Amino acid sequence: NAGVTQTPKFRILKIGQSMTLQCTQDMNHNYMYWYRQDPGMGLKLIYYSVGAGITDKGEVPNGYNVSRSTTEDFPLRLELAAPSQTSVYFCASTKDRGGTDTQYFGPGTRLTVL
Amino acid sequence: AQTVTQSQPEMSVQEAETVTLSCTYDTSESDYYLFWYKQPPSRQMILVIRQEAYKQQNATENRFSVNFQKAAKSFSLKISDSQLGDAAMYFCAYRSRFNSGGSNYKLTFGKGTLLTVNP
């Protein structure tokens, strides 16, 4: 049981490039989340999904897109990278909203946009 | 909207001593969850302890305990017998229990407190 896994661990992008951050969980969790953590700050929610085929915006969705074609995978897409997107990105999951309410986090992806 | 405030950017404690990290929050809701997460240099977010607002009893997990004061909207974390491995950034977080416009899906985090443990 690997929990929540994220790839890559590190990435440097040039302005205007695009990339996809991968997130996979093997706990059969329905709910998945993407957060970003800027230096000296707590995490802010970018997007979340309550199940396959269902996604919704969080606090800071601009510049990102997501999809949820399977229960296990929840990729985050950056289409036109900007320096403001330099951050550490965390994926998380929960079984459901009324259960333990404990979010399990992946190890994070450190992204730098130059 | 809910807010979480951690007023101590940094704290330090001697090994084997006790330290308390502060957290206050603002909400109009009566039912919610509060969490303390630990983030070591590896950057993994690790759940330390969880408190349900409808429970008056303070949560404890081994050396970690909380002082939950609902009326004062305060949720402090006490670490007893501090160990070198406790050194990390600690985040306080809030989550609604019931869904209101999707609000119960997200955690609202404070800015964190960096804890240093001195040998």
Side-chain angles (χ1 to χ4, degrees), chain B residues 6-96:
Chain B
Q6 294 179 250
S7 59
Q8 307 154 317
E10 297 184 25
M11 293 281 285
S12 64
V13 63
Q14 291 295 127
E15 197 175 3
E17 297 294 311
T18 296
V19 64
T20 298
L21 308 184
S22 301
C23 173
T24 58
Y25 57 94
D26 188 27
T27 184
S28 59
E29 300 173 335
S30 61
D31 211 355
Y32 45 86
Y33 297 93
L34 295 166
F35 305 84
W36 279 98
Y37 278 89
K38 171 185 177 181
Q39 187 180 44
S42 66
R43 291 205 170 272
Q44 182 82 31
M45 293 289 285
I46 302 166
L47 177 67
V48 175
I49 200 165
R50 182 177 72 117
Q51 175 80 42
E52 292 89 346
Y54 58 88
K55 291 184 177 179
Q56 292 187 342
Q57 186 174 3
N58 290 325
T60 62
E61 288 288 342
N62 300 314
R63 298 183 294 108
F64 299 87
S65 62
V66 299
N67 183 5
F68 173 50
Q69 301 289 330
K70 190 173 184 180
K73 297 179 182 176
S74 171
F75 182 60
S76 61
L77 175 70
K78 185 171 82 171
I79 306 174
S80 304
D81 186 25
S82 297
Q83 300 176 359
L84 295 178
D86 295 333
M89 182 73 84
Y90 286 82
F91 291 96
C92 179
Y94 172 104
R95 180 174 179 175
S96 301

Side-chain angles (χ1 to χ4, degrees), chain A residues 11-90:
Chain A
R11 184 71 184 269
I12 298 175
L13 283 181
K14 295 182 179 179
I15 294 171
Q17 287 185 319
S18 61
M19 76 165 294
T20 299
L21 282 67
Q22 301 292 345
C23 175
T24 300
Q25 53 88 12
D26 63 358
M27 297 174 283
N28 199 31
H29 284 176
N30 295 316
Y31 292 72
M32 296 186 74
Y33 314 81
W34 273 107
Y35 292 90
R36 60 177 286 172
Q37 183 182 27
D38 298 328
M41 304 292 287
L43 282 67
K44 292 189 175 181
L45 184 66
I46 304 172
Y47 270 96
Y48 65 94
S49 169
V50 303
I54 307 170
T55 63
D56 209 345
K57 297 177 181 179
E59 299 173 271
V60 289
N62 292 342
Y64 307 94
N65 281 299
V66 294
S67 59
R68 184 96 181 269
S69 57
T70 67
T71 299
E72 296 77 20
D73 301 306
F74 189 40
L76 178 71
R77 179 81 177 165
L78 283 71
E79 291 293 348
L80 292 171
S84 62
Q85 293 177 306
T86 294
S87 191
V88 180
Y89 292 84
F90 290 95

Side-chain angles (χ1 to χ4, degrees), chain A residues 91-103:
Chain A
C91 180
S93 71
T94 54
K95 178 67 173 177
D96 57 46
R97 70 174 188 238
T100 65
D101 290 288
T102 297
Q103 293 195 8

